[in-house]
Amino acid sequence: MTTWNFSSGPAILPKPVIEKAAAAILDFKGSGIGVLECSHRSKLYEPVVASAESRLRKLMGISDDYAVLFLQGGASTQFAQVPQNILASTDVADYTDTGTWASKAIKEAKLYGKVNVIASSKEADGTYKSIPKDLKLTPGAKYLHVTSNNTIFGTQLHAFPDVAVPLVSDMSSDICSRVVDVSKFGVIYAGAQKNLGPSGVTVVIVRKDLLGKVDRQIPTMMDYRTHIEAGSMFNTPPAFGIFVLDLVLEWLEGAGGIAGMQKINDAKAAKLYAEIDRNPLFAGTVALEDRSRMNVCFVPLNKDHEEPFKKLCLGRGMVDFTGHRSVGGFRASIYNAMPEAGIDAMIEAMRDFEKSNG
Ligand SMILES: *Cc1c(COP(=O)(O)O)cnc(C)c1O
């Protein structure tokens, strides 16, 4: 039986990537040693970082105005590292509060400068079901921070706001899933473990002219400039994570690049939402126009159906599709690597469940 992994992260990776990574753990490029065992400064490994950077630059259209870094600490470290590097203590930064991750980013930014939460879609029960539009920025704001995809609640910013200030975006759960105009952004950051690779590597894309303007000392390891100067090799990088990330990007090139992947993702999500809307036993949980194409959240209308539907899916090889503990119900995370057949399996389960319980 095929296993369909709907995990929200760490998440499914493309099968050919896993096969290549597994082989390289045993023997890296015919060297007799595995990729986990070789020096990051060796002739064998060093080209990997350059390759990953160059692939990401080409795929996303990242100009030389930006540095591309492979760091550690996850997106959660970036919540603090971004303002620490680009927000002076007297500066104001605008943030939108669209979910749990956004609110964590807000909390950290307050440690460094003035933070203005210019819009929030938080509901009385603590959940989020939509994306605020019509943003009014603070005059003189240094940047506007947005979470491009709210992994937990299943909402997504389908159109990045057109603003005069640089956008800073947490793209952890939808980076490389759709085409974005990088030139609108000051910083893009993403933990790799949703759409780009294994956990342990964090991608940071930062416009270099924003750096060096804050009125504080930045610890060496937290200063983006350290890692820019050293090409992400100031200290031991997350070597295996970058290696797998490079393989994922190679796979993405072969799948038609980001534009090609976006078409596939749109079709996959449309298909699953169509079934959620058609099936009388289930309902979506968020505003139609803000539905995420990566994390599809839905609930059974009858609470008693939750356990039996879960059992049916588990019996068919589907795993990790339950909603976040704050939302309940179901969440099918359908990142780039989830084949359409996985969505078909979920749809078939919903239809069969309707037949026996409708
Ligand atoms: C998972 C996630 C995070 C947290 O990432 P870590 O790498 O675990 O720190 C932050 N933001 C978003 C949008 C996420 O999906």
Side-chain angles (χ1 to χ4, degrees):
M1 186 170 62
T2 314
T3 300
W4 300 113
N5 177 12
F6 290 99
S7 170
S8 57
I12 186 171
L13 288 168
K15 192 111 193 276
V17 167
I18 294 296
E19 282 163 358
K20 282 185 192 168
I25 286 176
L26 296 173
D27 184 0
F28 187 33
K29 295 182 187 166
S31 64
I33 62 166
V35 63
L36 291 170
E37 307 162 280
C38 96
S39 163
H40 59 292
R41 311 241 181 242
S42 65
K43 286 232 153 50
L44 211 52
Y45 181 82
E46 241 190 318
V48 172
V49 179
S51 169
E53 175 177 343
S54 124
R55 286 190 209 276
L56 194 63
R57 282 188 183 278
K58 278 208 200 85
L59 282 162
M60 291 184 72
I62 304 167
S63 80
D64 291 341
D65 295 341
Y66 293 81
V68 174
L69 302 175
F70 303 108
L71 306 180
Q72 307 196 48
S76 300
T77 299
Q78 294 310 309
F79 296 161
Q81 201 169 353
V82 167
Q84 188 178 32
N85 277 267
I86 70 172
L87 187 68
S89 59
T90 52
D91 284 341
V92 181
D94 285 343
Y95 277 68
T96 58
D97 181 11
T98 56
T100 308
W101 299 116
S103 67
K104 289 187 174 178
I106 290 164
K107 177 174 177 241
E108 298 304 304
K110 284 178 177 167
L111 298 171
Y112 296 98
K114 298 194 174 65
V115 172
N116 213 351
V117 180
I118 58 165
S120 169
S121 49
K122 191 170 189 169
E123 312 244 331
D125 65 358
T127 66
Y128 300 76
K129 296 184 168 69
S130 64
I131 300 284
K133 285 124 200 149
D134 297 324
L135 304 176
K136 296 226 169 10
L137 269 67
T138 308
K142 186 88 188 190
Y143 62 81
L144 168 63
H145 181 283
V146 293
T147 309
S148 63
N149 183 70
N150 299 284
T151 324
I152 292 175
F153 298 99
T155 57
Q156 191 171 19
L157 192 55
H158 291 300
F160 286 96
D162 248 319
V163 291
V165 299
L167 289 168
V168 172
S169 187
D170 176 0
M171 291 195 189
S172 292
S173 52
D174 69 351
I175 190 167
C176 292
S177 73
R178 55 169 166 166
V179 176
V180 297
D181 176 2
V182 173
S183 70
K184 288 171 107 178
F185 295 83
V187 187
I188 292 171
Y189 61 91
Q193 69 272 20
K194 275 103 187 199
N195 216 19
L196 283 184
S199 64
V201 51
T202 312
V203 171
V204 178
I205 300 162
V206 56
R207 215 176 77 195
K208 289 179 280 189
D209 68 326
L210 296 172
L211 302 176
K213 294 177 179 159
V214 293
D215 53 345
R216 70 176 62 88
Q217 295 203 308
I218 306 174
T220 308
M221 271 298 284
M222 297 301 285
D223 193 328
Y224 289 141
R225 292 170 299 180
T226 302
H227 301 286
I228 293 173
E229 263 166 49
S232 295
M233 297 275 260
F234 174 73
N235 66 327
T236 315
F240 183 66
I242 300 170
F243 173 72
V244 177
L245 188 144
D246 183 51
L247 292 177
V248 170
L249 297 178
E250 182 189 29
W251 170 82
L252 195 50
E253 290 165 358
I258 296 178
M261 191 49 63
Q262 179 171 355
K263 275 204 195 103
I264 297 169
N265 286 335
D266 288 354
K268 275 159 43 184
K271 216 173 174 181
L272 186 48
Y273 282 119
E275 176 60 18
I276 291 167
D277 293 338
R278 185 210 61 80
N279 195 309
L281 302 190
F282 298 96
T285 55
V286 301
L288 295 188
E289 75 274 15
D290 299 324
R291 284 174 159 178
S292 168
R293 291 175 189 146
M294 296 278 101
N295 310 97
V296 177
C297 294
F298 59 105
V299 289
L301 289 174
N302 177 349
K303 192 92 174 92
D304 293 342
H305 285 162
E306 195 152 322
E307 278 310 308
F309 180 68
K310 197 172 151 185
K311 243 174 115 184
L312 174 74
C313 292
L314 288 170
R316 294 181 179 196
M318 285 172 256
V319 296
D320 257 343
F321 50 83
T322 47
H324 188 267
R325 57 189 180 276
S326 59
V327 183
F330 306 106
R331 171 175 51 167
S333 295
I334 52 170
Y335 300 118
N336 287 357
M338 173 59 77
E340 192 170 343
I343 280 96
D344 291 341
M346 178 63 76
I347 292 173
E348 201 182 320
M350 293 169 75
R351 289 188 181 154
D352 290 346
F353 191 75
E354 180 196 0
K355 276 186 207 133
S356 47
N357 295 275

